[in-house]
Amino acid sequence: MVALTLLAASATALPLSHVQPAAAAAATTSVRQDFNGDGYADLAVGAPDATVAGRAKAGYVAVLYGSANGLRTATKQVFSQNSAGVPGGAEAGDRFGAALASADLDGDGHQDLIVGVPGEDTVSGGSNSGYTQVIRGGAKRLAGAYSLATGRFAGDGLGERGRLMTADIDGDGAADVVTVERQKNLRVVKGPFDGTANGGEQLVTDRYDTRILDLAAGDLDGDGITDIAATANSGDEYDSRRVPYWMGTPNGLTPFTLVYDIDGAGLQGGESLDIGDVNRDGFDDIVVGRAVDGYDSDLDTYRAKGGRVTWIPGTAQGPDGVAATFFNQDAPDVPGTAEKGDGFGTDVQVADVNGDGYPDVATGVPGEDLGRAADAGAVVVLRGGAGGLTGAGARAVTQNTADVPGAAEKGDAFGRAVHLGDADGDGRADLAAGAPGENTGAGFVWYFRSTAGGVVSPNTTTAFGASVLGTTSANGRLGSGFAY
């Protein structure tokens, strides 16, 4: 059994069968996905492999709304392509909800939910060309939907996880939707949107045949315009993982450049990333998760064993790869021990968890073994500060943490997806963790309200699965991803 430093605070335990940007509220804690405009962050979680009306992997999205007491299951909503007002119909393999994003696209003061449907067959692109849809935010809840963009090439999978996000890339005040075409080109659908028209499109082509794995947005050089960064590999060479970024300008995105390391080579990247000003110096930083180990490049990649998290500080000239700091579970003060296949860095999210004014980093470790429970999973929170990201004060949470509902079991993959958002409006980002392997692949989600001491606090854990949502549980893999 790998020893983990667990969060000391507790939560009310319930049997699993009975439990139940976007505008920024402050510089360090964003109210993400506020779909009803009440000032509390809401949570949207995808189950793209779920069966809907007997159609396997048609997929659905569940939404829980925030309140002064945290997330509420009583006002939940579940959307699929069979929901009233949502274009199309649930079909096998569509994978509705594979990617989720949010922004106030129409300027009505309520964030809208953007949903990726990468398995959709479209007239414009053909089989599995993909599709993106928007479900409108409103004064009470999400209602009404429209089509945003369709794939233009067979097999393109527009709207796949990691390849859908929102950002104002030209500084005009309107949110834009960023997707990926042909796995490598950024296709930007520009705002504002009114449900029938948009502000046009920009296609940023890639002459280097990159394969984009994940996207994030932030102001990397402090010029007031949002930039885009990605994790990517070169063509089909998955071992060659890099961190490209595109600078936002009044005319849209520039061609990408790479983050370089101390040797002048492209910094070894990973599969996931997020952006935030971890050291509060006025420049957003890139945080990269490199969860997949076992490749040849591990031999010359620092702290690659078991997965790693990399903090890349921002500067007036952009990301500084030379000053990057690296963490795995063998780094000082980080809970656990680095072991092959742990998956440390599987998903990374940046927000201020403890309310000290510095954004922290939450990352999943879904391959963590707990006793005899292989791949039971964990989530680790690393702290931010004036010196950047640090292992000091890092904490972990698992299903074996005191009073967390459920118990760690083989293959749960707790932490396969993580999310940070201030659902109770106290200025601290709360943690949500998905375990798509829970209950033999049905999937489950845990939500922990944060305190100054950490991400688990007494009597404030909410956990929910298909029984609470009223959905089909078998092979649903709820908790595969969250809206960002």
Side-chain angles (χ1 to χ4, degrees):
M1 176 177 179
V2 175
L4 290 173
T5 302
L6 299 178
L7 300 173
S10 64
T12 298
L14 296 173
L16 283 182
S17 60
H18 296 93
V19 294
Q20 312 177 36
T28 58
T29 303
S30 59
V31 179
R32 306 182 181 193
Q33 299 84 51
D34 185 8
F35 301 123
N36 58 4
D38 63 357
Y40 300 104
D42 308 315
L43 182 74
V45 55
D49 291 336
T51 297
V52 176
R55 295 169 175 83
K57 296 188 177 182
Y60 71 81
V61 177
V63 178
L64 273 68
Y65 291 90
S67 72
N69 296 314
L71 291 180
R72 299 171 294 165
T73 59
T75 55
K76 66 184 182 297
Q77 288 183 283
V78 177
F79 296 95
S80 73
Q81 286 188 290
N82 278 358
S83 298
V86 176
E91 299 170 310
D94 278 354
R95 301 184 64 242
F96 180 87
L100 301 169
S102 64
D104 181 7
L105 298 182
D106 54 11
D108 67 353
H110 304 99
Q111 294 211 348
D112 308 304
L113 177 62
I114 303 99
V115 182
V117 196
E120 183 81 31
D121 299 340
T122 69
V123 174
S124 61
S127 176
N128 296 321
S129 52
Y131 187 33
T132 55
Q133 298 178 302
V134 177
I135 304 175
R136 296 178 184 270
K140 294 184 178 179
R141 52 177 27 202
L142 290 158
Y146 61 89
S147 301
L148 178 72
T150 58
R152 298 187 285 208
F153 303 93
D156 208 23
L158 191 77
E160 186 56 87
R161 185 181 181 191
R163 297 171 181 167
L164 175 67
M165 61 165 295
T166 59
D168 180 9
I169 55 91
D170 51 13
D172 66 355
D176 310 307
V177 177
V178 183
T179 64
V180 177
E181 187 171 274
R182 307 306 293 266
Q183 301 183 58
K184 62 179 182 176
N185 301 325
L186 293 190
R187 180 181 171 187
V188 183
V189 185
K190 295 185 176 182
F193 303 81
D194 64 7
T196 59
N198 58 56
E201 294 194 11
Q202 178 189 12
L203 186 66
V204 186
T205 58
D206 172 18
R207 60 190 178 93
Y208 298 105
D209 198 27
T210 300
R211 296 291 184 269
I212 293 174
L213 305 175
D214 197 16
L215 294 168
D219 187 358
L220 301 174
D221 57 0
D223 68 351
I225 300 179
T226 304
D227 313 305
I228 304 295
T231 50
N233 58 281
S234 300
D236 295 326
E237 298 178 15
Y238 188 79
D239 202 14
S240 180
R241 285 164 279 181
R242 298 289 182 259
V243 185
Y245 62 96
W246 300 256
M247 305 308 291
T249 74
N251 297 316
L253 294 174
T254 65
F256 80 70
T257 187
L258 293 177
V259 176
Y260 293 99
D261 63 18
I262 195 169
D263 297 321
L267 182 75
Q268 276 285 334
E271 302 81 40
S272 66
L273 82 165
D274 198 11
I275 292 176
D277 189 2
V278 172
N279 58 0
R280 295 299 307 278
D281 66 352
F283 304 102
D284 280 345
D285 315 315
I286 300 174
V287 178
V288 177
R290 179 191 176 94
V292 180
D293 59 348
Y295 281 85
D296 290 343
S297 62
D298 290 357
L299 298 176
D300 58 3
T301 298
Y302 186 53
R303 297 200 185 280
K305 185 178 181 180
R308 81 174 185 185
V309 170
T310 302
W311 173 65
I312 306 168
T315 72
Q317 290 74 46
D320 183 2
V322 175
T325 305
F326 308 96
F327 304 85
N328 70 355
Q329 288 184 285
D330 284 343
D333 300 315
V334 176
T337 300
E339 299 169 312
K340 184 177 180 180
D342 278 350
F344 182 80
T346 288
D347 197 5
V348 290
Q349 288 293 294
V350 180
D352 183 7
V353 170
N354 58 8
D356 68 352
Y358 292 96
D360 309 301
V361 174
T363 184
V365 198
E368 187 76 68
D369 298 342
L370 299 174
R372 295 183 178 180
D375 301 335
V379 174
V380 171
V381 179
L382 304 172
R383 297 187 64 175
L389 197 62
T390 177
R395 295 290 184 268
V397 60
T398 76
Q399 286 189 72
N400 285 349
T401 301
D403 296 325
V404 170
E409 299 169 310
K410 179 180 178 181
D412 280 349
F414 180 89
R416 176 67 66 186
V418 299
H419 180 271
L420 293 174
D422 187 9
D424 57 6
D426 66 355
R428 291 183 289 262
D430 307 311
L431 171 70
E438 178 73 30
N439 296 339
T440 320
F444 223 78
V445 175
W446 286 257
Y447 157 72
F448 307 100
R449 290 175 67 185
S450 295
T451 70
V455 297
V456 181
S457 54
N459 306 316
T460 57
T461 300
T462 299
F464 61 93
S467 61
V468 168
L469 300 175
T471 56
T472 300
S473 61
N475 301 313
R477 298 189 64 77
L478 177 68
S480 295
F482 298 98
Y484 301 114

